[in-house]
Amino acid sequence: MLELQNICFHADDKDILKDINLKIDDKFVAITGPNGSGKSTLLKIIMGIITPTSGKIIFDGQDITDLAVNERANLGMSFAFQQPVRFKGLKVKDLLSIAAGEGVDVTKDCSYLRAVGLCPKDYLDREINDTLSGGEMKRIEIAMAAARGGKLSLFDEPEAGIDLWSFQSLIEVFENLREVTNGNILIISHQERILEIADKIIYLKDGTVDRYDDAEKIMSDLNMKYMGGCGCMNSKKGDSRNG
């Protein structure tokens, strides 16, 4: 489905990504690794937010390396940032309708909100502003991804900046999304409970793919080899620009 060929990214006299080669076609793939290893940069390159210094991106057999963000979105790709964007003046139901690409359908909107653990009665008419907590915004953004029903949904550390209660619920949300979505999910995370529900894990280190294998094998290796060295499995801090 998604193929990265010799992807490199150089900025500020630093090689942030070095010759990344990946073929990703599993339903739920997680990206993890130490801070500064290039995780967020890689996700933004896939979405077209950042242009790679060299290499190609193939999506469903099409070379999308030179396509803009909106063109990739039209092909079925979506991107959720670490900090969800707030749209003053818009209501939750408006965003769900925009994501779905159709008029307001209350029945569908309610199903998307229930899937992420939000009561439709309480949230459909809520404005997207500062009255919503970080955890609520994360859930709404995930509901938008479900409403869009795209081929590939990209999530950059959805657990960042939310409280423990919201995190526990977030795990359930992604477990549910994994079952109901027709598309594929690519998610950056440091959290063991999210990594455990992935089909495969990509472990980035120093801008290169250190490991790419079944989640169970990677988790076993991480527990034995990496946890003591980088602490990547327990960190809840967001990455820097080069993360």
Side-chain angles (χ1 to χ4, degrees):
M1 181 185 197
L2 177 68
E3 184 175 358
L4 307 179
Q5 300 178 353
N6 307 113
I7 294 294
C8 298
F9 184 69
H10 183 88
D12 300 327
D13 296 323
K14 181 180 178 181
D15 290 322
I16 298 171
L17 293 175
K18 310 165 190 174
D19 200 30
I20 301 291
N21 288 279
L22 288 167
K23 289 185 178 180
I24 302 171
D25 57 10
D26 292 271
K27 189 162 189 177
F28 196 117
V29 176
I31 303 175
T32 195
N35 289 339
S37 57
K39 302 182 298 297
S40 292
T41 298
L42 180 61
L43 214 65
K44 290 175 182 177
I45 283 176
I46 292 170
M47 190 66 218
I49 299 169
I50 294 175
T51 301
T53 303
S54 60
K56 287 186 178 182
I57 305 169
I58 310 297
F59 183 58
D60 275 356
Q62 177 181 346
D63 186 344
I64 64 168
T65 311
D66 297 322
L67 295 188
V69 173
N70 64 308
E71 294 174 306
R72 298 186 196 205
N74 289 335
L75 293 176
M77 298 174 67
S78 63
F79 189 98
F81 292 89
Q82 282 188 24
Q83 299 299 326
V85 180
R86 298 175 189 268
F87 301 89
K88 188 176 181 180
L90 287 179
K91 296 181 178 180
V92 171
K93 63 183 180 183
D94 298 325
L95 287 186
L96 292 175
S97 297
I98 293 170
E102 55 189 32
V104 176
D105 187 323
V106 176
T107 300
K108 288 184 178 180
D109 290 348
C110 288
S111 68
Y112 299 137
L113 290 176
R114 289 195 189 97
V116 297
L118 296 178
C119 175
K121 181 180 178 181
D122 295 335
Y123 285 91
L124 276 176
D125 290 314
R126 287 280 298 274
E127 187 174 331
I128 307 297
N129 55 29
D130 292 338
T131 65
L132 292 168
S133 69
E136 288 171 323
M137 283 299 302
K138 291 286 176 71
R139 295 195 198 194
I140 291 168
E141 191 168 46
I142 295 169
M144 289 174 61
R148 180 164 177 78
K151 295 180 180 179
L152 179 62
S153 299
L154 309 172
F155 294 91
D156 189 354
E157 286 196 66
E159 73 269 18
I162 65 173
D163 56 57
L164 181 60
W165 182 88
S166 296
F167 174 70
Q168 301 292 344
S169 301
L170 189 67
I171 301 299
E172 297 176 5
V173 167
F174 272 103
E175 287 177 334
N176 188 38
L177 184 63
R178 186 188 189 286
E179 296 302 318
V180 301
T181 185
N182 292 321
N184 296 61
I185 298 170
L186 185 57
I187 179 172
I188 293 175
S189 181
H190 291 287
Q191 291 296 333
E192 185 173 359
R193 290 186 59 193
I194 290 181
L195 299 179
E196 285 175 342
I197 63 175
D199 296 309
K200 288 188 177 180
I201 294 174
I202 300 166
Y203 189 91
L204 289 186
K205 185 178 180 182
D206 298 327
T208 63
V209 178
D210 186 68
R211 290 286 305 277
Y212 179 35
D213 209 334
D214 293 336
E216 185 176 351
K217 294 179 181 178
I218 295 288
M219 290 298 291
S220 177
D221 289 345
L222 286 176
N223 287 331
M224 291 187 295
K225 182 177 179 181
Y226 295 115
M227 281 186 66
C230 69
C232 68
M233 302 289 288
N234 297 312
S235 171
K236 282 195 177 184
K237 295 180 180 179
D239 282 351
S240 63
R241 183 177 68 87
N242 297 339

